[in-house]
Amino acid sequence: MEAIVSLCKRRGFIFPGSEIYGGLAGTFDYGPLGVMLKKNIQNSWWKHFVTNREDMYGIDAAILMNPRAWEASGHVSGFSDPLVECNKCHRRYRADHIEEKNGVKHCPEDNEVLGEPRQFNMMFKTNIGATEDPTSISYLRPETAGGMFVNFKNVVDSFHPRLPFGLAQIGKAFRNEIAPRDFIFRLREMEQMEIEYFCKPDTWEKTFEHLRSEFNVWLFSIGLSKEKIHEVEIGDGDRAHYSKRTIDFEFDFPIGQKELAGLAYRTDFDLKQHSLFSKTDLSYFDEDTKERFVPHCIEPSIGVERAVLAVLASAYKEEQVGDEIRTVLSFVPSIAPIQVAILPLSKKEELINPARKILQSLQKIGRVQMDVTQSIGKRYRRQDEIGTPYCVTVDFETLVDNEVTVRDRDTMKQERVPIKDLEEYFAKKLV
Ligand code: ATP
C-alpha cells in the first residue's frame, strides 16, 4: 500500500485533500493522471451498463434532496455505525473494526478498555437557506440510490420502459465515517456507480444472476483478476434491513480481503417507502398482463475509489530488469490514463515536427501525449510507472525510412512500424 500511495503522489495520480493546510481526513484529490484513470473507469462502467444496453436509463440527480426522502429510506433513523470512544485518549473507533480479547475491546493506542458502543449517524447534516432551524435541515446524500428511486416515476412517464429496466447513476456520496483510513478505501467524500434495476417480483432470481454475471464481466474488463475477487453471500442476520439477498464482491486489497462492491436484492422496499412518504403512486402498469404492481429492485453498487484502488493494486508491479528495479503499472490499455507516449529522441525541430504530426494523428483514436525531457531510458521508466502501454520513439532513422520504434510496456519488446500504418496498428490495441 505504501508503494502505491507514494507512486500516486509522486506521479500526480492522487494527493491528500487540502494538503497545504495539513489535510482533511477522509478526503483525497485527484491529480492530472488520477482524474484520467478515474474517468476512464467511470466511462467504461457507463458504456458497459448504460450505452451498450437497451434497458438502462442514465440519470444525474441532485446531491441535496428533500430530507423526507432520507426518512423514507431509513437513513435518518438507521444509517449509523457503532462508535466506541477511549476514555483516556478520546480516540474514536468503529466498534465492529476492533477485535475483542476475552470478550472485551481495548483501545489500539493505549490498551484502555473501551466503553459500550453508541450508534453514530453517518449522514452529513447541512441547512438549506438562510435559516438554521430544524425545518431547514438537509443532508449530503450518503448514497446515490435515493436519487434514482425518486426519479422512477419521471423515467416511467417520459420513456414508458418495459420491465425489466434499470436506472444508472455515477455521483458523489458523503459519509461521516468514524475512522476514515487506508488511503482511498474508506473516505468521507467519495463517488459511487450504482444501478437500480427493476423487475417483476417473480423474476428477481434470474435478474440477480444476470447482474451478478455482468458485474463480473465488467470487473475483469478493467483488469481485475478472477483470483482476487471473492463473492461472499451475506447471511440473514447481517444484511441491510431492506435486503432479501446480498452478495459482497470482496477484493484482495493490499490491506486484506475487503468489500469492493455489493449486489443487493432490495425487494419493493424503496419504491413502497417513497410512495408512502411522498404520497405518490410509484406502481407500474404492465401492458402485457394488464396488472399494476410495485416492481422489485436489484442494486449493483460500487465505490469509484475502491475500483480505482483495486485497479492500482492489480496493476502495480516491481520487476528486476538487469540490476535495476522497474516499477510498472500494467493497466489494461482501455483505462490507462495515457495510452501512447510519443518520444522524440532529441528536442531538435527536425524530430519534434514529425513527432507532433504523429501525436495529432493518434489523438484521433486515443489518449496520446508527447514526452521530451530526459534520456530515452528515463522516459521509458517514467511511462512504465504511470502505466502507458505503448511508447513511440521518433529517431533520426525516422527521417530516412519514415518508420518509428514502438515499445510495448509489458514485454519491453520493440518493433519498427511505418508511420503511415500507426493509426491502424493502434486502433485495435487501445480499445
Ligand atoms: P463498508 O462495509 O466498507 O462500510 P458498506 O457496506 O457500508 O461499506 P455500501 O453502503 O454497500 O457500503 O456502499 C456501496 C459501495 O460504496 C461499497 O461497496 C463501496 O465500494 C463504496 N463505499 C462505501 N463506503 C465507502 C467509503 N467510506 N469510502 C469509499 N467507498 C465506499
Side-chain angles (χ1 to χ4, degrees), residues 259-278:
E259 177 176 333
L260 166 65
L263 178 67
Y265 169 40
R266 298 178 73 123
T267 68
D268 54 4
F269 172 82
D270 302 273
L271 289 182
K272 279 200 168 150
Q273 283 293 102
H274 287 296
S275 273
L276 192 69
F277 278 69
S278 66

Side-chain angles (χ1 to χ4, degrees), residues 79 81 94 96-97 122 142-143 175 177 180 184-194 242 248-249 258-262 299 301-307:
F79 191 62
D81 273 340
R94 237 176 89 167
D96 54 332
H97 285 173
M122 290 200 292
E143 58 180 32
R175 295 182 182 189
E177 292 278 353
I184 53 171
F185 180 82
R186 188 167 300 284
L187 296 165
R188 289 187 170 135
E189 175 175 342
M190 51 145 164
E191 275 181 89
Q192 289 181 318
M193 304 190 278
E194 293 193 302
Y242 52 74
D248 278 355
F249 287 73
K258 305 253 181 207
E259 177 176 333
L260 166 65
E299 177 195 72
S301 167
I302 181 164
V304 174
E305 285 77 7
R306 290 202 188 166

Side-chain angles (χ1 to χ4, degrees), residues 22-195:
L24 179 69
T27 66
F28 281 87
D29 297 339
Y30 286 88
L33 292 177
V35 70
M36 283 202 268
L37 178 64
K38 178 175 83 158
K39 281 190 188 295
N40 296 338
I41 292 174
Q42 291 174 329
N43 291 343
S44 125
W45 183 90
W46 192 260
K47 187 164 183 277
H48 187 90
F49 287 107
V50 183
T51 45
N52 279 3
R53 296 178 60 119
E54 291 177 17
D55 56 350
M56 213 62 100
Y57 297 81
I59 71 155
D60 187 8
I63 288 172
L64 293 173
M65 293 178 67
N66 187 309
R68 287 282 285 164
W70 300 115
E71 286 172 31
S73 62
H75 283 82
V76 172
S77 58
F79 191 62
S80 51
D81 273 340
L83 177 144
V84 277
E85 185 168 345
C86 173
N87 287 331
K88 196 167 161 200
C89 70
H90 297 289
R91 282 191 175 81
R92 292 169 161 199
Y93 306 97
R94 237 176 89 167
D96 54 332
H97 285 173
I98 307 276
E99 274 184 34
E100 282 187 358
K101 278 183 210 139
N102 304 324
V104 187
K105 292 182 193 253
H106 295 265
C107 173
E109 283 302 313
D110 50 30
N111 214 26
E112 191 76 3
V113 173
L114 294 169
E116 278 303 302
R118 67 179 167 87
Q119 289 303 317
F120 171 76
N121 194 300
M122 290 200 292
M123 283 204 292
F124 279 100
K125 254 188 209 162
T126 188
N127 290 87
I128 304 285
T131 45
E132 279 197 24
D133 62 39
T135 61
S136 68
I137 288 175
S138 189
Y139 306 92
L140 299 187
R141 68 180 178 205
E143 58 180 32
T144 62
M148 287 182 273
F149 292 119
V150 303
N151 280 290
F152 172 81
K153 186 170 160 32
N154 284 333
V155 174
V156 169
D157 288 350
S158 47
F159 291 89
H160 310 288
R162 289 276 166 102
L163 285 175
F165 69 91
L167 304 188
Q169 173 163 234
I170 300 178
K172 290 269 185 185
F174 303 82
R175 295 182 182 189
N176 198 1
E177 292 278 353
I178 294 166
R181 60 175 147 179
D182 298 324
F183 189 36
I184 53 171
F185 180 82
R186 188 167 300 284
L187 296 165
R188 289 187 170 135
E189 175 175 342
M190 51 145 164
E191 275 181 89
Q192 289 181 318
M193 304 190 278
E194 293 193 302
I195 293 167

